[in-house]
């Protein structure tokens, strides 16, 4: 009986040792799990570098007439930066709430910056067509000028949805609760997107002012040809149609001369100067043709001599 009791006690002791050891081991595993929480710090760092590269490339873009290849290259590179950053962020895993917030914010930033890249690309297409309008003007090809102007307007219209979605996404982030390291970038992006939106609106006004300008120039060219052939009355009629078109164009461009964007203000100032001189010349051209049509060439010459030197 004593041996049995001793054996039973020994078995119980062994069981207790095993159970307690298991508990200790379980506690150690739990502690290690707490210590070994998964962090996405490296992924966040890699993604942030790509986002910064994308921003830097866009900031270096300069829109110069007839030289858009470099801008297109930078936009393509920026697009790749944002797409790669987004891939990293989509696959990032973390147990830390602050890193989850950072990842969520960075993903939205990548998304709206991709929209901005597309909008910028469409704006460049618009500028290319606008340059062609001026190029066709050299050959008095009014049909091609109007065609290119329509294509420019279409490209500009294509920028609007992307600017709108970029703005919506950017402003959807609560800047007060966003990660501290993201707030300055968010604020800068908001300002930049609003400037992009304003630039698109001003380009729309600039293009709208081109329609009456082209109409006026076409009447001017017809009148000049009639003058060369001494068809004075027809020349007078064509000149009389110009002031309304040129005045309308000048009025639309007036506010753009003080635009904060040189891409807008410079062509507006240049065209306004041309329109001003044309409007000064037209009354004398019209009157000169009227006198010539009546056979009073002395008075006609007097009127023609009052025309500004540029004409």
């Amino acid at each position: 009986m004593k041996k049995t009791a001793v054996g039973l006690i020994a078995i119980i002791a062994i069981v207790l040792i095993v159970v307690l050891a298991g508990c200790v081991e379980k506690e150690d595993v739990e502690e290690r799990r707490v210590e070994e929480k998964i962090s996405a710090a490296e992924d966040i760092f890699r993604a942030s570098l790509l986002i910064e590269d994308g921003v830097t490339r866009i900031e270096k873009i300069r829109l110069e007439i007839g030289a858009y290849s470099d801008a297109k290259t930078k936009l393509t590179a920026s697009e790749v930066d944002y797409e790669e950053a987004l891939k990293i962020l989509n696959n990032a895993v973390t147990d830390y709430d602050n890193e989850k917030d950072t990842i969520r914010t960075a993903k939205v930033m990548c998304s709206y910056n991709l929209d901005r890249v597309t909008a910028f690309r469409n704006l460049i297409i618009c500028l290319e067509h606008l340059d062609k309008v001026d190029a066709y003007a050299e050959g008095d090809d009014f049909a091609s000028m109007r065609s290119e102007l329509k294509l420019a307007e279409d490209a500009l219209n294509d920028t609007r949805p992307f600017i709108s979605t970029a703005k919506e996404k950017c402003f959807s982030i609560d800047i007060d609760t966003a990660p501290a390291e993201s707030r300055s970038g968010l604020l800068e992006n908001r300002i930049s997107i609003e400037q992009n939106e304003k630039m698109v609106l001003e380009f729309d006004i600039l293009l709208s002012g081109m329609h009456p300008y082209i109409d006026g120039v076409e009447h001017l060219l017809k009148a000049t040809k009639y003058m060369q052939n001494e068809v004075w009355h027809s020349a007078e009629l064509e000149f009389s149609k110009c002031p309304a078109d040129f005045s309308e164009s000048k009025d639309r461009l007036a506010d753009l001369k003080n635009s904060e964007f040189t891409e807008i203000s410079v062509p507006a100032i240049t065209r306004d100067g041309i329109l001003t001189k044309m409007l000064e010349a037209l009354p004398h051209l019209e009157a000169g043709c009227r006198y010539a049509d009546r056979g009073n060439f002395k008075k006609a010459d007097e009127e023609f001599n009052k025309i500004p030197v540029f004409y």
Side-chain angles (χ1 to χ4, degrees):
M1 184 69 178
K2 289 182 180 178
K3 288 182 179 180
T4 303
V6 171
L8 183 59
I9 291 170
I11 290 170
I12 292 171
I14 291 170
V15 170
L16 287 172
I17 290 170
V18 172
V19 171
L20 290 173
C23 290
V24 172
E25 182 178 353
K26 186 176 181 181
E27 289 177 1
D28 288 344
V29 169
E30 291 298 328
E31 288 179 3
R32 284 200 298 273
R33 283 179 180 172
V34 171
E35 292 173 358
E36 295 174 3
K37 289 179 73 171
I38 299 173
S39 170
E42 184 177 345
D43 287 336
I44 292 171
F45 178 71
R46 289 169 57 212
S48 66
L49 289 179
L50 287 166
I51 292 171
E52 287 175 12
D53 286 345
V55 171
T56 301
R57 293 184 206 279
I58 291 179
E59 287 177 345
K60 290 181 178 179
I61 290 176
R62 296 292 178 268
L63 297 179
E64 298 178 1
I65 295 175
Y68 304 115
S69 296
D70 182 63
K72 289 180 178 178
T73 300
K74 285 185 171 65
L75 283 176
T76 300
S78 292
E79 189 172 43
V80 172
D81 288 332
Y82 294 130
E83 287 174 345
E84 290 302 316
L86 200 53
K87 287 179 185 177
I88 292 170
L89 294 167
N90 284 333
N91 293 319
V93 178
T94 179
D95 291 325
Y96 295 95
D97 289 339
N98 64 323
E99 290 185 349
K100 290 177 182 178
D101 290 340
T102 299
I103 290 170
R104 189 160 43 247
T105 300
K107 285 166 72 173
V108 177
M109 292 178 75
C110 286
S111 182
Y112 68 65
N113 275 310
L114 283 169
D115 288 334
R116 291 177 67 195
V117 167
T118 303
F120 211 152
R121 185 176 287 125
N122 287 331
L123 180 59
I124 288 175
I125 293 172
C126 168
L127 294 176
E128 288 176 327
H129 288 299
L130 197 56
D131 288 350
K132 289 180 181 179
V133 172
D134 289 335
Y136 280 119
E138 294 295 324
D140 301 324
D141 186 346
F142 296 101
S144 295
M145 288 172 71
R146 291 188 175 94
S147 175
E148 290 297 331
L149 183 57
K150 177 62 169 59
L151 291 172
E153 289 175 322
D154 290 343
L156 189 66
N157 288 333
D158 288 340
T159 68
R160 288 196 177 90
F162 293 100
I163 291 291
S164 296
T165 54
K167 184 177 181 179
E168 183 180 347
K169 290 173 185 177
C170 186
F171 280 80
S172 71
I173 301 171
D174 186 347
I175 203 164
D176 294 325
T177 59
E181 66 273 12
S182 302
R183 291 176 189 174
S184 60
L186 275 170
L187 183 60
E188 186 177 3
N189 287 160
R190 286 184 178 185
I191 294 170
S192 180
I193 289 172
E194 287 185 325
Q195 284 186 317
N196 295 154
E197 189 176 47
K198 184 179 180 182
M199 178 185 280
V200 169
L201 288 173
E202 291 190 353
F203 261 117
D204 187 43
I205 297 171
L206 184 69
L207 295 184
S208 72
M210 289 293 295
H211 287 285
Y213 177 80
I214 292 173
D215 292 341
V217 170
E218 186 170 22
H219 290 308
L220 189 68
L221 182 65
K222 288 180 179 178
T224 302
K225 289 181 178 178
Y226 281 130
M227 280 184 68
Q228 291 171 344
N229 293 316
E230 298 185 357
V231 184
W232 302 110
H233 181 64
S234 295
E236 179 190 354
L237 289 177
E238 289 297 329
F239 280 131
S240 69
K241 297 174 184 177
C242 296
D245 291 327
F246 289 152
S247 294
E248 182 182 352
S249 181
K250 185 177 172 66
D251 289 343
R252 293 187 185 183
L253 299 176
D255 293 337
L256 300 182
K257 292 188 293 180
N258 296 318
S259 172
E260 63 184 288
F261 310 109
T262 55
E263 298 91 343
I264 302 289
S265 61
V266 170
I269 291 169
T270 302
R271 189 140 287 148
D272 181 79
I274 295 171
L275 288 167
T276 298
K277 289 183 177 180
M278 284 183 173
L279 287 168
E280 290 174 0
L282 283 167
H284 303 299
L285 287 164
E286 189 177 346
C289 289
R290 185 164 55 251
Y291 282 124
D293 186 50
R294 296 171 184 172
N296 191 342
F297 292 102
K298 180 180 179 182
K299 292 290 288 185
D301 287 339
E302 287 177 3
E303 290 295 331
F304 292 146
N305 287 331
K306 295 176 183 177
I307 297 171
V309 176
F310 90 100
Y311 188 77

